[in-house]
Short mmCIF file of all heavy atoms in Angstrom, two decimals:
data_model
loop_
_atom_site.label_atom_id
_atom_site.label_comp_id
_atom_site.label_asym_id
_atom_site.label_seq_id
_atom_site.Cartn_x
_atom_site.Cartn_y
_atom_site.Cartn_z
N LYS A 274 117.21 62.46 81.42
CA LYS A 274 116.06 61.91 82.16
C LYS A 274 116.15 62.26 83.59
O LYS A 274 115.07 62.72 84.19
CB LYS A 274 115.93 60.45 81.83
CG LYS A 274 114.63 59.84 82.50
CD LYS A 274 114.56 58.40 82.24
CE LYS A 274 113.38 57.74 83.05
NZ LYS A 274 113.41 56.29 82.90
N THR A 275 117.23 62.02 84.28
CA THR A 275 117.35 62.28 85.60
C THR A 275 117.20 63.68 85.98
O THR A 275 116.53 64.11 86.94
CB THR A 275 118.78 61.83 86.20
OG1 THR A 275 119.02 60.45 85.86
CG2 THR A 275 118.95 62.04 87.66
N PHE A 276 117.71 64.59 85.15
CA PHE A 276 117.65 66.03 85.29
C PHE A 276 116.12 66.47 85.19
O PHE A 276 115.66 67.22 86.03
CB PHE A 276 118.49 66.74 84.22
CG PHE A 276 118.29 68.22 84.13
CD1 PHE A 276 118.83 69.07 85.15
CD2 PHE A 276 117.47 68.77 83.08
CE1 PHE A 276 118.52 70.43 85.06
CE2 PHE A 276 117.30 70.18 83.09
CZ PHE A 276 117.78 70.93 84.06
N ILE A 277 115.47 65.95 84.18
CA ILE A 277 114.06 66.34 83.89
C ILE A 277 113.19 65.86 85.01
O ILE A 277 112.14 66.52 85.39
CB ILE A 277 113.55 65.82 82.53
CG1 ILE A 277 114.31 66.56 81.39
CG2 ILE A 277 112.09 65.92 82.36
CD1 ILE A 277 113.93 68.01 81.38
N MET A 278 113.45 64.69 85.57
CA MET A 278 112.53 64.16 86.54
C MET A 278 112.77 64.70 88.02
O MET A 278 112.14 64.35 88.92
CB MET A 278 112.72 62.62 86.61
CG MET A 278 112.36 61.95 85.29
SD MET A 278 110.70 62.43 84.70
CE MET A 278 109.67 61.55 85.78
N ARG A 279 113.73 65.52 88.13
CA ARG A 279 113.88 66.24 89.46
C ARG A 279 112.76 67.07 89.76
O ARG A 279 112.11 67.62 88.90
CB ARG A 279 115.11 67.15 89.50
CG ARG A 279 116.45 66.32 89.51
CD ARG A 279 117.62 67.33 89.61
NE ARG A 279 118.85 66.65 89.53
CZ ARG A 279 119.93 67.21 89.12
NH1 ARG A 279 119.97 68.51 88.90
NH2 ARG A 279 121.02 66.57 88.96
N GLY A 280 112.36 67.14 91.03
CA GLY A 280 111.17 67.97 91.42
C GLY A 280 111.31 69.36 91.03
O GLY A 280 110.31 70.02 90.70
N ASN A 281 112.56 69.93 91.17
CA ASN A 281 112.67 71.36 90.93
C ASN A 281 112.36 71.70 89.54
O ASN A 281 111.67 72.77 89.16
CB ASN A 281 114.08 71.83 91.27
CG ASN A 281 114.45 71.60 92.65
OD1 ASN A 281 113.67 71.03 93.46
ND2 ASN A 281 115.62 71.95 93.00
N VAL A 282 112.79 70.89 88.60
CA VAL A 282 112.62 71.19 87.27
C VAL A 282 111.08 71.13 86.81
O VAL A 282 110.52 71.95 86.07
CB VAL A 282 113.45 70.26 86.30
CG1 VAL A 282 113.08 70.50 84.81
CG2 VAL A 282 114.94 70.47 86.48
N LEU A 283 110.41 70.12 87.33
CA LEU A 283 109.06 69.87 87.11
C LEU A 283 108.23 71.12 87.73
O LEU A 283 107.27 71.58 87.05
CB LEU A 283 108.48 68.59 87.61
CG LEU A 283 109.09 67.40 86.88
CD1 LEU A 283 108.64 66.07 87.56
CD2 LEU A 283 108.65 67.36 85.44
N ASP A 284 108.58 71.51 88.95
CA ASP A 284 107.90 72.60 89.63
C ASP A 284 108.05 73.93 88.69
O ASP A 284 107.13 74.62 88.60
CB ASP A 284 108.39 72.86 90.95
CG ASP A 284 108.01 71.69 91.93
OD1 ASP A 284 107.09 70.93 91.55
OD2 ASP A 284 108.68 71.64 93.05
N LEU A 285 109.27 74.07 88.28
CA LEU A 285 109.60 75.23 87.51
C LEU A 285 108.73 75.28 86.13
O LEU A 285 108.16 76.25 85.79
CB LEU A 285 111.07 75.33 87.10
CG LEU A 285 111.53 76.54 86.25
CD1 LEU A 285 111.31 77.84 86.96
CD2 LEU A 285 112.97 76.39 85.88
N ALA A 286 108.67 74.07 85.55
CA ALA A 286 107.90 73.98 84.25
C ALA A 286 106.44 74.33 84.54
O ALA A 286 105.77 75.09 83.77
CB ALA A 286 108.07 72.62 83.64
N VAL A 287 105.87 73.77 85.55
CA VAL A 287 104.51 74.01 85.92
C VAL A 287 104.27 75.53 86.22
O VAL A 287 103.31 76.20 85.79
CB VAL A 287 104.05 73.17 87.10
CG1 VAL A 287 102.63 73.62 87.62
CG2 VAL A 287 103.94 71.71 86.72
N GLY A 288 105.18 76.14 86.92
CA GLY A 288 105.22 77.52 87.26
C GLY A 288 105.23 78.42 86.05
O GLY A 288 104.49 79.41 85.95
N VAL A 289 106.02 77.99 85.04
CA VAL A 289 106.17 78.83 83.83
C VAL A 289 104.83 78.78 83.05
O VAL A 289 104.35 79.77 82.59
CB VAL A 289 107.36 78.38 82.96
CG1 VAL A 289 107.29 78.95 81.59
CG2 VAL A 289 108.64 78.75 83.57
N ILE A 290 104.26 77.56 82.95
CA ILE A 290 102.97 77.35 82.25
C ILE A 290 101.86 78.24 82.98
O ILE A 290 101.18 78.91 82.27
CB ILE A 290 102.66 75.91 82.15
CG1 ILE A 290 103.67 75.20 81.20
CG2 ILE A 290 101.24 75.72 81.66
CD1 ILE A 290 103.61 73.69 81.27
N ILE A 291 101.77 78.05 84.24
CA ILE A 291 100.75 78.82 84.97
C ILE A 291 100.92 80.32 84.82
O ILE A 291 100.05 81.05 84.68
CB ILE A 291 100.73 78.37 86.47
CG1 ILE A 291 100.15 76.93 86.51
CG2 ILE A 291 99.87 79.28 87.22
CD1 ILE A 291 100.20 76.32 87.94
N GLY A 292 102.23 80.65 84.86
CA GLY A 292 102.54 82.16 84.81
C GLY A 292 102.22 82.64 83.45
O GLY A 292 101.68 83.81 83.38
N ALA A 293 102.44 81.92 82.36
CA ALA A 293 102.08 82.34 81.00
C ALA A 293 100.54 82.50 80.94
O ALA A 293 100.01 83.46 80.32
CB ALA A 293 102.60 81.36 80.02
N ALA A 294 99.79 81.51 81.44
CA ALA A 294 98.34 81.63 81.40
C ALA A 294 97.84 82.83 82.28
O ALA A 294 96.96 83.55 81.88
CB ALA A 294 97.75 80.37 82.01
N PHE A 295 98.42 83.04 83.42
CA PHE A 295 98.03 84.19 84.20
C PHE A 295 98.41 85.51 83.51
O PHE A 295 97.69 86.44 83.70
CB PHE A 295 98.75 84.05 85.64
CG PHE A 295 98.17 85.11 86.54
CD1 PHE A 295 96.88 85.06 87.07
CD2 PHE A 295 99.06 86.12 87.02
CE1 PHE A 295 96.45 86.00 87.96
CE2 PHE A 295 98.63 87.06 87.83
CZ PHE A 295 97.34 86.95 88.35
N GLN A 296 99.51 85.52 82.80
CA GLN A 296 99.93 86.73 82.10
C GLN A 296 98.84 87.11 81.08
O GLN A 296 98.63 88.30 80.87
CB GLN A 296 101.33 86.51 81.41
CG GLN A 296 101.77 87.71 80.56
CD GLN A 296 101.99 88.95 81.43
OE1 GLN A 296 102.46 88.90 82.54
NE2 GLN A 296 101.71 90.12 80.88
N ALA A 297 98.29 86.15 80.43
CA ALA A 297 97.18 86.38 79.48
C ALA A 297 95.99 87.10 80.22
O ALA A 297 95.44 88.06 79.67
CB ALA A 297 96.72 85.17 78.74
N ILE A 298 95.71 86.64 81.35
CA ILE A 298 94.67 87.22 82.19
C ILE A 298 94.97 88.70 82.54
O ILE A 298 94.15 89.60 82.41
CB ILE A 298 94.36 86.43 83.41
CG1 ILE A 298 93.83 85.05 83.01
CG2 ILE A 298 93.33 87.20 84.36
CD1 ILE A 298 93.64 84.03 84.23
N VAL A 299 96.19 88.93 82.98
CA VAL A 299 96.55 90.30 83.38
C VAL A 299 96.61 91.17 82.14
O VAL A 299 96.21 92.26 82.26
CB VAL A 299 97.97 90.25 84.13
CG1 VAL A 299 98.46 91.65 84.35
CG2 VAL A 299 97.82 89.51 85.38
N THR A 300 97.11 90.69 81.03
CA THR A 300 97.19 91.50 79.84
C THR A 300 95.71 91.91 79.40
O THR A 300 95.50 93.09 79.08
CB THR A 300 97.87 90.78 78.70
OG1 THR A 300 99.19 90.46 79.13
CG2 THR A 300 97.94 91.53 77.44
N SER A 301 94.80 90.97 79.52
CA SER A 301 93.43 91.28 79.19
C SER A 301 92.88 92.27 80.21
O SER A 301 92.10 93.19 79.79
CB SER A 301 92.56 89.98 79.26
OG SER A 301 91.27 90.28 79.00
N LEU A 302 93.21 92.14 81.36
CA LEU A 302 92.70 93.03 82.47
C LEU A 302 93.15 94.53 82.15
O LEU A 302 92.42 95.45 82.14
CB LEU A 302 93.21 92.68 83.91
CG LEU A 302 92.90 93.70 84.97
CD1 LEU A 302 91.49 93.72 85.30
CD2 LEU A 302 93.80 93.28 86.23
N THR A 303 94.46 94.66 81.83
CA THR A 303 94.95 96.01 81.58
C THR A 303 94.48 96.55 80.23
O THR A 303 94.22 97.72 80.10
CB THR A 303 96.51 96.07 81.65
OG1 THR A 303 97.05 95.07 80.77
CG2 THR A 303 97.00 95.85 83.10
N THR A 304 94.57 95.65 79.25
CA THR A 304 94.04 96.10 77.85
C THR A 304 92.65 96.40 77.77
O THR A 304 92.24 97.38 77.05
CB THR A 304 94.53 95.11 76.80
OG1 THR A 304 95.95 94.83 76.93
CG2 THR A 304 94.24 95.56 75.38
N ASP A 305 91.74 95.45 78.30
CA ASP A 305 90.41 95.58 78.08
C ASP A 305 89.58 96.26 79.14
O ASP A 305 88.45 96.74 78.91
CB ASP A 305 89.83 94.10 77.95
CG ASP A 305 90.44 93.32 76.75
OD1 ASP A 305 90.76 94.03 75.73
OD2 ASP A 305 90.53 92.16 76.79
N ILE A 306 90.22 96.47 80.38
CA ILE A 306 89.47 97.10 81.42
C ILE A 306 90.17 98.41 81.98
O ILE A 306 89.57 99.46 81.89
CB ILE A 306 89.18 96.12 82.56
CG1 ILE A 306 88.35 94.96 82.15
CG2 ILE A 306 88.54 96.81 83.75
CD1 ILE A 306 88.17 93.87 83.07
N ILE A 307 91.40 98.21 82.33
CA ILE A 307 92.15 99.43 82.90
C ILE A 307 92.37 100.50 81.87
O ILE A 307 92.14 101.68 82.15
CB ILE A 307 93.38 98.96 83.64
CG1 ILE A 307 93.11 98.05 84.80
CG2 ILE A 307 94.24 100.18 84.04
CD1 ILE A 307 94.34 97.53 85.53
N SER A 308 92.89 100.19 80.71
CA SER A 308 93.24 101.16 79.69
C SER A 308 91.98 101.91 79.26
O SER A 308 92.01 103.14 79.11
CB SER A 308 93.90 100.52 78.44
OG SER A 308 95.25 100.09 78.81
N PRO A 309 90.87 101.19 78.93
CA PRO A 309 89.69 102.02 78.57
C PRO A 309 89.15 102.84 79.73
O PRO A 309 88.65 103.96 79.43
CB PRO A 309 88.58 100.89 78.25
CG PRO A 309 89.46 99.74 77.78
CD PRO A 309 90.67 99.77 78.74
N ILE A 310 89.22 102.46 80.97
CA ILE A 310 88.77 103.25 82.06
C ILE A 310 89.71 104.54 82.12
O ILE A 310 89.24 105.57 82.32
CB ILE A 310 88.83 102.50 83.32
CG1 ILE A 310 87.67 101.49 83.40
CG2 ILE A 310 88.68 103.47 84.63
CD1 ILE A 310 87.66 100.49 84.60
N LEU A 311 91.03 104.31 82.05
CA LEU A 311 91.89 105.49 81.96
C LEU A 311 91.59 106.33 80.77
O LEU A 311 91.81 107.57 80.78
CB LEU A 311 93.38 105.06 82.05
CG LEU A 311 93.81 104.36 83.36
CD1 LEU A 311 95.20 103.85 83.22
CD2 LEU A 311 93.74 105.34 84.51
N GLY A 312 91.23 105.72 79.69
CA GLY A 312 90.91 106.44 78.45
C GLY A 312 89.72 107.37 78.58
O GLY A 312 89.49 108.27 77.83
N LEU A 313 88.83 107.03 79.59
CA LEU A 313 87.65 107.91 79.81
C LEU A 313 88.05 109.31 80.08
O LEU A 313 87.35 110.26 79.75
CB LEU A 313 86.82 107.33 80.94
CG LEU A 313 86.05 106.07 80.72
CD1 LEU A 313 85.27 105.60 81.96
CD2 LEU A 313 85.02 106.27 79.53
N PHE A 314 89.22 109.47 80.76
CA PHE A 314 89.68 110.85 81.20
C PHE A 314 90.40 111.48 80.00
O PHE A 314 90.49 112.66 80.00
CB PHE A 314 90.56 110.69 82.35
CG PHE A 314 89.92 110.06 83.56
CD1 PHE A 314 90.22 108.81 84.01
CD2 PHE A 314 88.99 110.73 84.28
CE1 PHE A 314 89.72 108.22 85.11
CE2 PHE A 314 88.35 110.12 85.38
CZ PHE A 314 88.75 108.91 85.79
N GLY A 315 90.94 110.70 79.07
CA GLY A 315 91.62 111.29 77.96
C GLY A 315 90.82 111.37 76.64
O GLY A 315 91.31 111.90 75.63
N GLY A 316 89.74 110.62 76.63
CA GLY A 316 88.92 110.69 75.37
C GLY A 316 89.13 109.52 74.45
O GLY A 316 88.45 109.39 73.44
N MET A 317 90.15 108.69 74.69
CA MET A 317 90.33 107.47 73.86
C MET A 317 91.01 106.52 74.69
O MET A 317 91.51 106.68 75.78
CB MET A 317 91.13 107.80 72.60
CG MET A 317 92.61 108.17 72.74
SD MET A 317 93.40 108.31 71.17
CE MET A 317 94.63 109.53 71.58
N ASN A 318 91.08 105.19 74.15
CA ASN A 318 91.73 104.05 74.91
C ASN A 318 93.14 104.41 75.22
O ASN A 318 93.83 104.95 74.31
CB ASN A 318 91.57 102.84 73.97
CG ASN A 318 91.96 101.53 74.72
OD1 ASN A 318 92.67 101.60 75.76
ND2 ASN A 318 91.46 100.47 74.25
N PHE A 319 93.54 104.06 76.31
CA PHE A 319 94.95 104.43 76.83
C PHE A 319 96.00 103.81 75.92
O PHE A 319 97.09 104.38 75.71
CB PHE A 319 95.02 103.86 78.28
CG PHE A 319 96.22 104.49 79.02
CD1 PHE A 319 96.30 105.83 79.30
CD2 PHE A 319 97.22 103.68 79.46
CE1 PHE A 319 97.28 106.38 80.07
CE2 PHE A 319 98.27 104.19 80.21
CZ PHE A 319 98.28 105.54 80.43
N ASP A 320 95.78 102.61 75.35
CA ASP A 320 96.75 102.02 74.45
C ASP A 320 96.97 102.83 73.20
O ASP A 320 98.04 102.67 72.59
CB ASP A 320 96.23 100.58 73.93
CG ASP A 320 96.43 99.55 75.00
OD1 ASP A 320 97.17 99.82 75.96
OD2 ASP A 320 95.89 98.42 74.93
N GLN A 321 96.07 103.60 72.78
CA GLN A 321 96.20 104.35 71.54
C GLN A 321 97.00 105.65 71.66
O GLN A 321 97.17 106.31 70.66
CB GLN A 321 94.86 104.55 70.99
CG GLN A 321 94.11 103.29 70.63
CD GLN A 321 92.64 103.48 70.24
OE1 GLN A 321 92.19 104.65 70.33
NE2 GLN A 321 91.98 102.46 69.93
#
């Protein structure tokens, strides 16, 4: 309980959760926007 209640651990947990949520946004940006735009030059979606 003492370990968990330290500020560093709670800050780290919040950072990990926010990072995971932000990773979903970045993945969507590259998969749904950047890859198709790059695919315009190659004729298909960049992921493929």
Side-chain angles (χ1 to χ4, degrees):
K274 180 181 173 187
T275 304
F276 171 75
I277 289 297
M278 297 310 286
R279 285 186 190 156
N281 299 4
V282 175
L283 294 176
D284 291 344
L285 179 64
V287 169
V289 167
I290 292 168
I291 290 173
F295 187 71
Q296 177 64 35
I298 293 170
V299 171
T300 300
S301 176
L302 172 71
T303 54
T304 304
D305 300 330
I306 297 174
I307 294 175
S308 290
I310 289 173
L311 293 175
L313 288 175
F314 302 108
M317 69 175 149
N318 192 337
F319 197 62
D320 279 347
Q321 297 171 357

